[in-house]
Amino acid sequence: MELTYELTSRFDEEERKAIFDPLIEFNRQRAGEPNYVPLNVLVHEKQQRLVGGLWGHTAYNWFVIELLFLPEKLRGQGTATAILHDAEKEAIRRGCKNAWMDTHEFQARGFYESRGYTLFGELQDYPEGHARYFMQKALSAS
């Protein structure tokens, strides 16, 4: 089989899918069904304008937080705590025992630590001059 290589910066969903789908099948054959289900908590202002929220998923009985963002005016009022609580509660309902996420040092490590997340990994200089933290939490049904 003769191969060629192409270096590209484009984002083409079909090309991504051609790599992603066989990888997921490979994983499925070795680790079982991931039961991937999106888990999002969206925060709307009046007129239903989306202003922030939590974007994540559950898979392999883990809850993964991909994104959590609130505008400055909504911070410090318990909104992030409420949406995180709602998401964790749903993750537990789905059978998740643990959660993980990552955050940069200039973002919200302290917020997650105050809610029971602990550091399990650190990547220095991502971005340069800053650290990226990987955190996890054991979820409890209580």
Side-chain angles (χ1 to χ4, degrees):
M1 174 188 306
E2 186 175 325
L3 302 175
T4 62
Y5 303 92
E6 175 187 10
L7 179 63
T8 178
S9 295
R10 72 177 168 265
F11 184 89
D12 181 299
E13 186 58 40
E14 287 303 312
E15 291 171 340
R16 181 183 183 279
K17 193 170 169 43
I19 298 168
F20 184 76
D21 288 352
L23 174 62
I24 293 302
E25 184 54 33
F26 177 88
N27 293 350
R28 195 175 270 121
Q29 290 173 10
R30 283 145 187 86
E33 180 61 43
N35 297 314
Y36 178 96
V37 179
L39 197 167
N40 310 316
V41 181
L42 307 178
V43 178
H44 298 271
E45 277 189 327
K46 294 176 185 171
Q47 293 83 35
Q48 294 300 308
R49 186 173 76 87
L50 182 63
V51 295
L54 181 148
W55 195 268
H57 68 271
T58 56
Y60 293 115
N61 295 324
W62 278 77
F63 170 41
V64 181
I65 301 168
E66 298 172 40
L67 306 168
L68 195 159
F69 174 79
L70 289 172
E72 195 79 37
K73 66 183 179 180
L74 295 178
R75 296 177 192 166
Q77 301 174 27
T79 306
T81 298
I83 63 178
L84 182 60
H85 176 266
D86 289 351
E88 289 176 346
K89 187 175 173 182
E90 174 60 17
I92 291 166
R93 190 192 70 73
R94 294 181 187 185
C96 294
K97 306 285 187 251
N98 300 285
W100 80 269
M101 48 70 59
D102 67 88
T103 188
H104 293 283
E105 86 179 83
F106 53 84
Q107 291 177 330
R109 177 179 173 177
F111 167 77
Y112 290 105
E113 286 176 329
S114 70
R115 279 134 194 96
Y117 286 77
T118 58
L119 186 69
F120 72 86
E122 185 174 329
L123 187 62
Q124 286 296 317
D125 282 331
Y126 188 82
E128 190 171 338
H130 300 280
R132 184 172 183 175
Y133 302 116
F134 296 85
M135 305 180 80
Q136 65 184 8
K137 176 182 179 178
L139 298 176
S140 170
S142 60

